[in-house]
Amino acid sequence: MSEAKTPRPTVAAPAPASIAADGSPAAVRSTAFGGITLSWDKLLTTVPIYIGLIVIWLYFDSQTAGKFIGARNLSEMAQEFSYEAVLAIGVVFVLLLGEIDLSLGYLTLLSVALTASFSALSQYSAGVSILLAIVICTLCGLLQGMLIAWVRMPSFVVTLGGFLIFEGIAYHILAGSTINVFDPFISSIGTYYLSNTVSWIVAVIVVAAYVLAKVANYRARAKAGLPHAPVARTVAAAIAIGVVLAIIVATLNSYRGVPVALAILAAFTIVFWFFASKLQIGRRIYAVGGNLEAARRAGINTTAVRWLVFGISGMMAGVAGVMLVGYSAAGSTTTAGPDLLLDVISIAVIGGVSLTGGKGTVWAVLLGGLVIASLDSGLNLMATDPYYVYVIKGAILLAAIGIDVIGKRSSGFSWLRRRTARA
Amino acid sequence: MHLRKRLIPVITLALAVPTIAAFPIASHVQAASQQARIKGKVAFLFSDFTTSARWQFDKQFFIKDLKKLDPGVQVVVYDAKAAQTNQQNQAKSALTAGANLIIDVPVDSAQAASIIRAAHANKPRVPVIAYDRLITGAYEDAYASFDGASVGVQQGNFLKAHVAKGGTIVSIAGSPTDNNAHLFYNGAMSVLKPLFDSHYYKLGYDKFTPDWNDATAQQEMASALNQLNNKVNGVLVANDGMAGGVITALQAQKLAGKIPVTGQDATAAGIQQICLGNQSMTIYKPVIKLAQRAANIADKFLHHKVFKSAVKTQTGAGGTPSAIIPVITVTKANLAATVIKDGYVAKSAVPQCHL
C-alpha cells in the first residue's frame, strides 16, 4: 500500500480541538493549494448534509406541485423551526463540552407554562412575563450546572433529575389544561413579520458588520505582525453572504416579510457565534470540551466554564419557551416535551456538532434546523402518515452521527482523500 | 478520552428517559368519612392526571357521590402515570391492601385484562368497573363511559349543518396511536364520507397528529391552507387543544371566525375560543353524570348486589352491562346551561364569555 505514505495535507481530525476554537478550523490547518484554505474533514462532514437537504427540497417540491419551495411555505417553515433552532444553540454549547442536557424539553415546557400563566392568569405585562420565565429557566440551568460543575455529578443524571422535576412543575402549573395567551406582544414574537424595508436594512447591517469586523481583524493582525487571509477571499465571502441574505430576504418579502421569530434566531445565532469564537470566555468552552485536563492545566477555570454553559442552556430553553407561546398563542402540556429534546439534539448533530465535545459551531443550528424543519413541513404538506416522520428523522440522525464518527477517525475519509489527491 | 466513553450511555439514556420517567409515583390517598354503615375500600385506578384536566373532576365528583351513599367507604386513588405496567402493580397493591372494588381507567384497554383476572382470582372475588375506557379481553363486571362513538358523529353533523354544498373540509385528527382518535375520526367520517364520495364536499386535507400535539396541529393547518390556497370551508378538529393551534393558523390567514371549527372536551381554553367566535363547537362530556352513575354502580357492588343493565357492551360472551352517558354538543348558545351550570368550567375562567 504505497498510498499509505501519500502526504495528507489535512490529517487534522485528531488535532487538539481547542485550537480550532475560532469556528474556522481550516485556518489553523493546512494552507495547501496556494493559500486557499480547505479542510477536507469539514467539507466531507457538511457536504452530504447539504446534498441531503437539496434532495429533500427537490423531492418535496415535486410532490407538492411547487408549493414546498414557495415563499409562503418557506416563511411558515422559518416560523416553525426558529424556536427549535434557538433551543439548539444551548444544546451546541452543552455538546461542545461533551456533556448532555436531557432536561431541555421539559425546561422549555416549564418556560411555556410560566410565560402562559404569568401573562394569561396572573395578568402580568408581556415584558414581565417573558423576563420572569427566562430568568427562572436560566436559574434552573445554573442550578443543574452547579451540581454538574461543582458537585461533579454526571450531567446525564443531573439533567435526568431536572427532566422529571421540570416536567412535574410544568404539569402542575398547567394542571392538564390549555392556557390561551391573548397578549398581542407575545403573539407577535411567533406570528408577526418585519416590514420589507426593515428586513432589507437588517440585511445590509449584517453584511456591513461582517466587513467591518474583518477590517478590524486585518488591522489587529497587521499590527501584531501576523499574516492574514487573502483579501480576495474575504471579499468573496462578503459577497456570498450578501447574495444569500438578499435571496432569503427577497423570497420572504415576496410573502409577508421576514418572520420576527427568524430575526430573533438570527440575532441569537450571531451573538452566540461572536461569544463562542471571538471572546476569550467562549473559546474556553472549546478548550474545556476539547481536552478538559489540558484546559485545566492551562489555567482555565473549567468549573466556571461548565457552570456557565448549563446557564446558557437553561436561558435558551427559557427563550424557546417564550417563542413557542408566541407561536401557538397558548401553552399546554403537549406544547413541548421529550420529542423536542430529541429534535434539538438532532439539529445540533446534523449541523455538525460532535457529541464527544470540542467540535462544532453555533451555525450548526441553522443547517440542522433547516433539515428537521424541511422534513416536518414537507411531510405535513403532503399529509403523510406521521409514523414515517419518526423513521425518517431517526435515519437522518444516524447518518449524521455516522459521518461525525467516521470523520473523527484519522483514517476516516482517507480513502476519499487519497482518491482526490490522485485525481 | 473518558468523554467519548460517556457518549454511548448518554444516547441510550436520551432514548430511555421517557420510559424511566413513567416510573410509579406515589398515589393520592383520599379518605372518606370514618362513620359508616358499611365499611370497605374502593381502589380507583386512573391512567394519568397530568395530561388531561378532566380526571380531577372525575375523582372529586365520584368521591363526593359515593360518600353520600356510603360514608364509611374509603376511596384510594392511584395515578398510573400513563404506563399500563404501573397500573398493573398498583392493582396488585390495592388487592393486597384489601380493596373490595376496583374502578379502572385503563391506560391500555387490552393489557388491562390482567387486572380483571387478578381481581377475580382474588379471595374474596373483587369486582371491576371499567371507567371511561373499555377493557377488552376479559369480562369486567360493569362498564361506565360516555358515548364515544357519537362524539365524531356530532362533530360531523355539525359541519354538515354549517358548511354549504361544494365546500372543502380539512380533518385534523388525534394521535394515530390512540384508539379513541380513530373512534372519533370514524364517527365523523360515518357522516362525512358519503358526502365526500358523492362530491357534495371535498376532503382537502386529512391527517392524524402525533401526541395530539397542538403546535403540530397548527403546523398541519398552515400546510393545509397553503396546499389548498386558503380555500377551506370547515375544519374537523378532534379536540379543543388542537383546535387552538388550528385557530392560530387560521388567524395568520385572517380566516379565524369565518369558517366552522369543531372541538372536544369543553376545556376552558376551548370555551374561550367559542366565546370569541373562533371555534364553533365543542363536545362536552358531562363528567358529573358519569361519576354519579359510577358511584351508584359501586354502591351496588359494595352491597354485594349485581349491576344489571339492558345496555350491553361487547367484551366477550354476553357482553358487559353498561352505563352509557350521552355527550352534548356545546356552542355559544348553550354553554351557560351546560358546562358552566355543571361547574365544569368556572365563569371566572372564561371572562371572554361575559356571563
Side-chain angles (χ1 to χ4, degrees), chain A residues 357-412:
Chain A
K359 191 177 142 242
T361 79
V362 173
W363 297 105
V365 302
L366 299 185
L367 178 60
L370 207 52
V371 170
I372 293 288
S374 300
L375 286 174
D376 281 334
S377 167
L379 294 170
N380 274 342
L381 215 49
M382 287 167 61
T384 317
D385 197 324
Y387 298 114
Y388 295 113
V389 180
Y390 294 118
V391 176
I392 295 170
K393 275 188 187 173
I396 289 189
L397 177 64
L398 289 182
I401 294 179
I403 292 169
D404 173 48
V405 170
I406 296 170
K408 201 167 284 123
R409 288 187 203 134
S410 54
S411 61

Side-chain angles (χ1 to χ4, degrees), chain A residues 181-241:
Chain A
V181 176
F182 296 107
D183 187 285
F185 181 79
I186 294 180
S187 318
S188 74
I189 295 170
T191 52
Y192 283 26
Y193 301 83
L194 301 181
S195 80
N196 290 4
T197 334
V198 173
S199 307
W200 281 118
I201 292 172
V202 170
V204 169
I205 290 175
V206 169
V207 176
Y210 177 79
V211 172
L212 286 177
K214 279 292 169 190
V215 169
N217 180 264
Y218 279 0
R219 286 225 181 109
R221 288 185 82 95
K223 215 178 191 177
L226 289 167
H228 56 71
V231 176
R233 192 170 145 247
T234 307
V235 172
I239 291 172
I241 292 172

Side-chain angles (χ1 to χ4, degrees), chain A residues 67 72 256 327 332 334 380, chain B residues 205 213-214 218 229-230 252:
Chain A
K67 293 262 185 205
R72 176 170 168 178
R256 286 180 182 173
Y327 174 68
S332 85
T334 70
N380 274 342
Chain B
Y205 185 91
N213 186 306
D214 41 11
Q218 185 178 344
N229 298 315
N230 289 356

